[in-house]
């Protein structure tokens, strides 16, 4: 009686299989060509996008990264006695100063991470766009006739000192402490510390002073949030390496930005961001930098591109300005705006966002920037600081940042209000993280 049960069970399983799976298999079979085409298209699209990204990476790398050209020019000038500097021997003879990873964003301003005596450093150098007649990117521009043309042979030490004083006065304004800055530059240029400045040493430091970032680094050398200047050779200079060279950890290359939604980029950066107390500490440092440059020993300075790419921090979460090229002296901004023709306020913009008003009666720019550094920095910090903020602090923090962002008006008329807003925000953050491991 029971011998037919296994056969019956097998028949039942076969029936269930035919009922449940055969229609699905036929459906799959009918859709298989469409599925094949779909996945083939996706695979082709992936290969195309990947190939394009690789091509753009290497083509932009060859255009942007010409450190070998920079080193060749500098060392050629050094061997010919045109230039000098504290880093020349390490770069050109001992090979202890080595360019490693390219960080350049423009071909004319070469930036590399590197090592000097096995310590991490940042190496920066300028390259002229004008090349030799063959147009080869490896051709060395012959630029010593223009870049290293001053001072000329026969210039006395007193004349060189006066050259420096006049140059600094025209760039920083008539400041009572300019004499000490001239002394600092003279001391910096005396590489072998023999109490004299050779023609090669003078040419090198003069060329470096034409680089806005170098001038700012010398002027702000004693400030905590400015990277330390470690050495130079000609117009190449070496600074300490900032562990994190941007406020955000994820930087999407420009050629990939159209493919990456901004919301996704923002969300990933929020997820990768340091813990909120550490972000508060970085913010306090950035506010201190704004305070330092508002009315410093050598005048006021404007942040003319408040970008997260320019604000960095070290391994202890102390703020360090990774890029000072967009910071300009008040004198330089005024000089640019003075007498400039305009139709709209946007015509009166120095850099990215140092904007003055346009006098539409005479169609000329006024010379005072309307929006202060603090308002730009607070706009930058809104998303960075509010994300993950402690609930009991969030409302007050949001209110103070909103007040800060709306700051506007001529600096000469709002100094007290500027200081009050800055100190309130800094105090609020410091109270929350003081006496903790984050402070």
């Amino acid at each position: 009686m029971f011998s037919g049960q296994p056969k019956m069970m097998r028949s039942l399983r076969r029936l269930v299989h035919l009922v449940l799976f055969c229609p699905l298999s036929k459906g799959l079979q009918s859709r298989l060509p469409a599925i094949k085409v779909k996945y083939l298209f996706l695979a082709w699209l992936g290969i195309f996008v990947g190939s394009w990204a690789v091509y753009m990476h290497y083509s932009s790398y060859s255009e942007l990264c010409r450190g070998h050209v920079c080193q060749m020019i500098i060392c050629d000038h050094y061997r010919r006695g045109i230039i000098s500097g504290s880093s020349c021997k390490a770069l050109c003879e001992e090979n202890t100063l080595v360019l490693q990873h390219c960080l350049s964003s423009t071909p004319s301003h070469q930036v590399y991470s590197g090592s000097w005596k096995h310590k991490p450093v940042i190496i920066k150098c300028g390259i002229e766009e004008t090349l030799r007649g063959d147009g080869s990117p490896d051709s060395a521009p012959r630029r010593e006739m223009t870049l290293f043309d001053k001072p000329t042979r026969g210039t006395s030490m007193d004349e060189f000192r006066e050259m420096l004083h006049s140059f600094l006065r025209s760039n920083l304004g008539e400041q009572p402490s300019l004499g000490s800055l001239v002394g600092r530059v003279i001391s910096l240029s005396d590489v072998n510390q023999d109490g004299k400045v050779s023609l090669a040493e003078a040419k090198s430091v003069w060329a470096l002073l034409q680089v806005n970032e170098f001038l700012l680094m010398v002027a702000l050398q004693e400030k905590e949030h400015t990277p330390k200047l470690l050495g130079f050779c000609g117009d190449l200079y070496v600074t300490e390496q900032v562990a994190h060279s941007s406020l955000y950890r994820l930087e999407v290359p420009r050629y990939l930005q159209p493919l990456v939604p901004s919301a996704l980029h923002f969300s990933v950066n929020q997820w990768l961001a340091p813990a909120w107390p550490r972000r508060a500490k970085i913010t306090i440092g950035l506010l201190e930098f704004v305070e330092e440059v508002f009315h410093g020993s050598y005048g006021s300075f404007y942040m003319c591109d408040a970008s997260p790419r320019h604000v960095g921090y070290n391994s202890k979460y102390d703020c360090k300005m990774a890029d000072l090229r967009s910071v300009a002296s008040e004198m330089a901004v005024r000089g640019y705006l003075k007498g400039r023709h305009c139709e709209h306020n946007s015509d009166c913009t120095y850099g990215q966002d140092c904007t003055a008003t346009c006098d539409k009666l005479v169609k000329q720019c006024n010379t005072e920037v309307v929006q202060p550094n603090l308002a730009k920095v607070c706009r930058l910090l809104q998303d960075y600081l509010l994300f993950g903020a402690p609930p009991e602090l969030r409302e007050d923090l949001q209110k103070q940042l909103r007040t800060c962002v709306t700051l506007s008006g001529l600096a000469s008329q709002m100094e007290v209000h500027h200081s009050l807003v800055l100190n309130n925000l800094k105090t609020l953050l410091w109270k929350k993280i003081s006496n903790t491991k984050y402070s």
Side-chain angles (χ1 to χ4, degrees):
M1 185 173 62
F2 296 100
S3 60
Q5 193 170 4
K7 289 181 181 180
M8 189 172 64
M9 291 300 294
R10 283 196 297 270
S11 300
L12 184 61
R13 281 199 300 268
R14 191 176 299 115
L15 179 63
V16 170
H17 182 272
L18 288 171
V19 171
L20 293 179
F21 292 99
C22 279
L24 185 60
S25 300
K26 288 177 182 177
L28 279 173
Q29 287 172 9
S30 63
R31 293 174 55 194
L32 192 57
I35 293 173
K36 282 184 177 180
V37 171
K38 178 182 175 182
Y39 282 102
L40 186 64
F41 173 76
L42 289 174
W44 175 84
L45 184 63
I47 292 170
F48 173 77
V49 171
S51 302
W52 179 73
V54 170
Y55 169 76
M56 290 297 294
H57 173 75
Y58 283 105
S59 62
S60 62
Y61 186 92
S62 62
E63 179 189 350
L64 292 176
C65 304
R66 297 159 59 198
H68 62 292
V69 177
C70 183
Q71 185 171 356
M72 179 176 64
I73 297 169
I74 289 292
C75 292
D76 175 60
H77 290 356
Y78 170 64
R79 294 185 185 103
R80 291 163 58 194
I82 297 171
I83 61 171
S84 182
S86 55
S87 306
C88 290
K89 189 174 287 187
L91 179 71
C92 304
E93 295 179 8
E94 300 171 345
N95 294 322
T96 53
L97 176 58
V98 182
L99 284 71
Q100 293 174 336
H101 181 58
C102 177
L103 306 172
S104 307
S105 57
T106 61
S108 59
H109 186 71
Q110 294 294 293
V111 183
Y112 276 77
S113 63
S115 66
W116 191 2
K117 298 177 182 176
H118 307 295
K119 292 182 179 179
V121 294
I122 295 293
I123 304 161
K124 301 186 178 184
C125 173
I127 295 182
E128 280 189 348
E129 294 293 340
T130 305
L131 303 177
R132 284 180 179 170
D134 59 7
S136 167
D138 292 331
S139 299
R142 306 290 295 174
R143 58 182 187 153
E144 68 269 17
M145 295 305 292
T146 55
L147 184 63
F148 302 112
D149 60 342
K150 292 181 182 179
T152 56
R153 190 173 297 278
T155 302
S156 69
M157 196 61 207
D158 287 339
E159 289 172 328
F160 182 54
R161 193 181 294 274
E162 181 54 38
M163 274 179 65
L164 292 173
H165 195 280
S166 177
F167 174 81
L168 294 172
R169 184 173 59 246
S170 67
N171 280 271
L172 303 177
E174 189 62 75
Q175 308 295 335
S177 52
L178 277 189
S180 64
L181 185 57
V182 170
R184 184 183 296 176
V185 174
I186 293 285
S187 177
L188 183 69
S189 60
D190 183 14
V191 176
N192 54 11
Q193 298 181 338
D194 61 354
K196 301 174 184 178
V197 178
S198 68
L199 184 61
E201 290 170 340
K203 282 180 181 289
S204 297
V205 81
W206 181 261
L208 280 166
L209 288 174
Q210 314 309 309
V211 180
N212 178 63
E213 183 177 47
F214 183 86
L215 174 59
L216 266 291
M217 290 186 77
V218 175
L220 303 174
Q221 187 176 345
E222 75 281 359
K223 304 300 182 184
E224 180 186 353
H225 307 295
T226 304
K228 300 302 178 189
L229 179 66
L230 303 178
F232 66 93
C233 181
D235 68 330
L236 175 148
Y237 54 105
V238 185
T239 71
E240 68 171 312
Q241 187 176 72
V242 179
H244 303 277
S245 58
S246 175
L247 204 56
Y248 295 111
R249 293 187 178 181
L250 177 64
E251 284 293 325
V252 178
R254 289 183 182 179
Y255 54 85
L256 286 179
Q257 285 175 2
L259 301 175
V260 180
S262 57
L264 175 62
H265 184 205
F266 178 68
S267 298
V268 172
N269 269 316
Q270 283 188 331
W271 183 67
L272 293 173
W276 186 87
R278 287 174 172 155
R279 278 181 278 143
K281 185 180 180 183
I282 295 166
T283 297
I284 290 170
L286 181 55
L287 293 174
E288 287 173 349
F289 177 79
V290 170
E291 203 169 16
E292 289 167 356
V293 300
F294 185 55
H295 277 310
S297 304
Y298 305 112
S300 295
F301 297 89
Y302 294 127
M303 298 171 70
C304 293
D305 184 7
S307 165
R309 295 188 302 274
H310 299 159
V311 183
Y313 55 96
N314 61 19
S315 57
K316 296 180 179 178
Y317 300 92
D318 297 317
C319 174
K320 290 281 185 180
M321 297 302 294
D323 192 337
L324 291 170
R325 283 181 295 163
S326 62
V327 179
S329 68
E330 181 181 16
M331 194 72 176
V333 176
R334 283 176 175 271
Y336 173 83
L337 294 171
K338 188 176 181 180
R340 189 173 183 83
H341 176 78
C342 65
E343 298 289 340
H344 309 282
N345 288 351
S346 58
D347 299 327
C348 303
T349 302
Y350 180 96
Q352 291 292 319
D353 53 16
C354 282
T355 303
T357 55
C358 175
D359 187 334
K360 295 184 180 179
L361 291 175
V362 295
K363 294 189 181 298
Q364 285 191 351
C365 295
N366 294 312
T367 57
E368 278 206 73
V369 173
V370 174
Q371 192 176 41
N373 293 333
L374 184 59
K376 299 174 191 176
V377 164
C378 285
R379 190 187 307 114
L380 177 68
L381 290 170
Q382 273 185 314
D383 292 329
Y384 185 75
L385 203 53
L386 288 174
F387 170 70
E392 69 276 11
L393 191 73
R394 186 178 177 83
E395 186 177 348
D396 199 4
L397 182 60
Q398 197 166 20
K399 181 181 177 182
Q400 293 206 27
L401 284 170
R402 195 183 303 118
T403 302
C404 180
V405 166
T406 56
L407 282 174
S408 63
L410 305 183
S412 57
Q413 299 171 1
M414 57 169 296
E415 187 170 347
V416 174
H417 190 203
H418 179 282
S419 299
L420 183 64
V421 172
L422 190 149
N423 286 327
N424 284 346
L425 184 55
K426 198 166 68 168
T427 302
L428 178 69
L429 296 172
W430 185 247
K431 278 183 178 178
K432 190 64 183 176
I433 66 170
S434 61
N435 301 320
T436 69
K437 65 177 182 179
Y438 299 106
S439 63

